[in-house]
Amino acid sequence: MDLDALAAALENAFRRLAPGGDAGHDVHHARRVRDNAFRIADREGGDRAVLLAAAYLHDLVSPPKDSPDRARASALSAEAAAPVLRELGFDEDRAAAVRHAIHAHSFSAGVETRTLEAKILQDADRLEALGAIGVARTFYTAGLMNSSMFHADDPFAASRPLDDRRFALDHFAVKLLKLPATMKTEAGRALAEDRLGVMRAFLEAVAAELGARPAW
């Protein structure tokens, strides 16, 4: 497959079918996941047509973070991708590989990654939650959920339970700082550790500005 032509067709499909209004899961996010996937594939291998399609179509259905349908989002996206893949001429084996990668990429779905492409897509998407972009997306999403930036009196939850639905900063301890350990490829893990360093520097800066002591 001509990957440039395929990318253009996938972008058109995404713009036509994906819901708008969430800059954390828009076409620019899809492009960054694509680029992350290709960086990992440079070291790990993998079918780039499958990775390209999975990167562009993995968020075709993206309910809000606090929606009861959130855990089903990747399954719904895999289902929504099927007619697009047929339209673009994917054979059944490649289409099945794309659908599996989409279904398995989600943190909340808990689906086992059975293929290299699924492992790469999952790592590529999780890299978006780390580093400077991960910080930006965390607070953007917190705004969409009407959450506070942090607990004013105990920002690092030294003496209270973590609650990342109410406080954006808590999400770092609840999920984000743990992501590098979940990476499925060596290349993804190395990229994740680099971005984790950026995130830890941010947390130290927040603590310094608040006169607090980081607990994580």
Side-chain angles (χ1 to χ4, degrees), residues 25-110:
H25 297 90
D26 60 7
V27 71
H28 304 292
H29 165 68
R31 289 172 181 169
R32 293 192 299 270
V33 171
R34 171 202 66 194
D35 293 345
N36 289 339
F38 280 11
R39 287 188 193 101
I40 295 170
D42 284 342
R43 290 175 54 182
E44 306 283 347
D47 185 323
R48 293 196 176 226
V50 169
L51 290 172
L52 191 62
Y56 273 109
L57 303 179
H58 75 282
D59 280 334
L60 275 186
V61 180
S62 184
K65 289 285 188 183
D66 54 355
S67 167
D69 290 331
R70 188 67 195 174
R72 299 179 60 240
S74 65
L76 295 172
S77 292
E79 182 180 329
V84 177
L85 298 170
R86 285 195 296 270
E87 179 183 320
L88 295 178
F90 277 70
D91 62 40
E92 182 49 39
D93 287 345
R94 264 183 164 165
V98 174
R99 293 195 304 270
H100 168 64
I102 292 172
H103 188 196
H105 89 274
S106 169
F107 188 92
S108 54

Side-chain angles (χ1 to χ4, degrees), residues 156-206:
F156 289 91
S159 57
R160 64 174 176 83
L162 290 164
D163 185 353
D164 62 346
R165 288 187 175 272
R166 293 181 61 201
F167 306 112
L169 201 65
D170 287 19
H171 193 56
F172 290 80
V174 170
K175 176 181 176 183
L176 302 181
L177 300 180
K178 301 173 183 176
L179 287 179
T182 73
M183 294 291 170
K184 300 293 177 62
T185 66
E186 289 187 16
R189 194 172 302 111
L191 291 167
E193 289 293 343
D194 286 344
R195 297 191 186 195
L196 180 65
V198 173
M199 193 164 269
R200 287 200 177 279
F202 167 78
L203 292 172
E204 290 171 5
V206 170

Side-chain angles (χ1 to χ4, degrees), residues 143-158:
L144 293 180
M145 296 171 61
N146 294 315
S147 302
S148 299
M149 290 190 295
F150 47 79
H151 189 290
D153 298 320
D154 189 2
F156 289 91

